[in-house]
């Protein structure tokens, strides 16, 4: 069976491997610092995509397992990693059910992917299951502000661009999910950014009529939301950016 996310990501592999936003060195360094990534630790990269988090953890000296449900993405992550002289293991699998034993990973990361998960609580429980008492979980993902209306707007626009988008969860929702998975959040931060619109739409091969529909939606965002959604309607094309949420959690 082809999962919706595989249909979206298989044709986009090269764009993700070479994506400058996913390769942002500042955010990757922060991920390594917050997880305490050092030589010899065993790290799991859930939904590794093109491989940016996997490579950063491998460069920090971790033994990494890169997991993704899109075989084409996993292959590209391995190929580019080899070109960079990095070694790590790969596992084809779904974020809701890992082929790993309990409590084996020192670090679990999941970066810019959880908004695709059909059941984030099940995925978080699975991440928690493979952690031990001193492990650290790092999640970094698109996020909705606490306003439900803004959340619905973000999900509608993100889904137009990528039909495999499921939901951007608010920080309040993540707090509940973490507790449900037996995790305690020990750090959290929110980030705003603006999409480079042509790059963002091009990465998913969005058709001209859908691009136009997205531009129209951005133009009609009420001014009271502009700050939260980083909207600039004077620009052509009009610009916005879905906020990001980062958190680190431990098992309780
Ligand atoms: C934007 S990419 C991830 C980016 C990557 N983590 C990074 O740091 O560069 C999203 C990835 O999530 C994967 N994915 C989405 N849902 C998944 C699921 N339920 N199980 C496994 N992989 C999934 C897709 O195949 C895709 O490769």
């Amino acid at each position: 069976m082809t999962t919706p996310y595989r249909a979206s990501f298989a044709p986009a592999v090269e764009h993700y491997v070479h994506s400058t936003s996913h390769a942002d060195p500042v955010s990757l360094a922060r991920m390594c610092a917050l997880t305490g990534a050092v030589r010899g630790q065993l790290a799991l990269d859930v939904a590794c995509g093109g491989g940016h988090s996997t490579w950063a953890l491998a460069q920090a000296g971790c033994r990494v397992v890169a997991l993704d449900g899109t075989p084409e993405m996993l292959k590209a992550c391995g190929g580019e990693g080899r070109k960079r002289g990095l070694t790590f293991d790969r596992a084809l699998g779904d974020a809701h059910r890992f082929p790993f034993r309990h409590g084996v990973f020192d670090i679990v990361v999941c970066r810019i992917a959880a908004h695709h998960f059909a059941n984030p609580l099940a995925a978080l429980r699975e991440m928690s299951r493979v952690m031990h008492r001193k492990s650290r979980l790092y999640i970094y993902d698109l996020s909705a502000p606490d306003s439900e209306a803004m959340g619905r707007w973000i999900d509608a626009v993100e889904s137009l661009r990528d039909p495999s988008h499921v939901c951007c969860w608010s920080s309040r929702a993540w707090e509940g999910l973490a507790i449900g998975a037996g995790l305690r959040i020990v750090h959290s931060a929110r980030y705003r950014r603006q999409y480079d619109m042509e790059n963002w739409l091009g990465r998913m091969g969005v058709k001209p009529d859908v691009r136009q529909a997205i531009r129209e939606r951005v133009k009609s965002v009420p001014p009271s939301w502009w700050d939260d959604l980083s909207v600039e309607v004077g620009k052509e094309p009009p610009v916005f950016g879905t906020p990001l949420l980062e958190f680190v959690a431990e098992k309780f």
Side-chain angles (χ1 to χ4, degrees):
M1 191 185 82
T2 299
T3 54
Y5 64 83
R6 184 176 175 192
S8 286
F9 282 101
V13 165
E14 284 306 309
H15 293 301
Y16 278 86
V17 170
H18 301 292
S19 161
T20 48
S21 61
H22 292 77
D24 174 18
V26 174
S27 98
L28 289 167
R30 203 174 55 232
M31 173 191 78
C32 289
L34 286 168
T35 52
V38 289
R39 184 160 302 284
Q41 287 188 311
L42 186 59
L44 172 63
D45 181 10
V46 179
C48 65
H52 300 280
S53 313
T54 293
W55 308 327
L57 290 165
Q59 271 156 356
C62 295
R63 294 172 292 134
V64 188
V65 181
L67 177 137
D68 203 284
T70 301
E72 296 83 351
M73 208 54 117
L74 205 56
K75 187 171 171 213
C77 162
E80 181 65 23
R82 272 192 299 280
K83 280 192 209 158
R84 295 171 184 229
L86 301 169
T87 41
F88 49 87
D89 289 327
R90 286 174 295 155
L92 180 64
D94 194 89
H96 301 86
R97 200 157 147 211
F98 300 147
F100 309 120
R101 284 183 292 120
H102 289 55
V104 287
F105 289 98
D106 304 303
I107 295 170
V108 178
V109 305
C110 181
R111 192 166 164 266
I112 325 173
H115 57 279
H116 295 288
F117 297 168
N119 185 340
L121 178 59
L124 220 47
R125 283 191 172 143
E126 197 56 351
M127 296 181 208
S128 174
R129 182 184 68 75
V130 299
M131 292 165 64
H132 55 72
R133 294 280 156 208
K134 291 188 176 162
S135 309
R136 293 209 127 191
L137 168 68
Y138 176 88
I139 301 272
Y140 183 58
D141 198 22
L142 313 187
S143 171
D146 285 330
S147 141
E148 276 183 31
M150 245 187 275
R152 278 196 299 274
W153 185 91
I154 291 174
D155 286 331
V157 171
E158 292 282 351
S159 301
L160 275 174
R161 172 193 175 249
D162 172 6
S164 76
H165 175 87
V166 176
C167 186
C168 290
W169 302 97
S170 66
S171 57
R172 205 184 298 152
W174 274 117
E175 279 162 26
L177 293 167
I179 291 169
L183 295 162
R184 178 182 54 238
I185 294 179
V186 295
H187 156 89
S188 74
R190 298 179 203 225
Y191 302 94
R192 287 187 195 156
R193 45 84 188 263
Q194 278 185 333
Y195 287 132
D196 170 343
M197 293 295 279
E198 291 313 304
N199 209 310
W200 178 67
L201 295 166
R203 212 158 46 232
M204 276 298 177
V206 178
K207 302 262 182 317
D209 56 328
V210 180
R211 287 181 186 227
Q212 192 50 36
I214 291 175
R215 286 182 196 126
E216 293 307 323
R217 290 207 181 208
V218 178
K219 279 185 192 163
S220 63
V221 168
S224 58
W225 291 9
W226 286 1
D227 194 27
D228 279 312
L229 300 180
S230 308
V231 169
E232 266 185 73
V233 288
K235 278 200 174 165
E236 200 45 55
V239 178
F240 87 106
T242 297
L244 290 157
L245 175 73
E246 164 185 85
F247 71 85
V248 175
E250 296 171 347
K251 276 180 112 153
F252 58 72

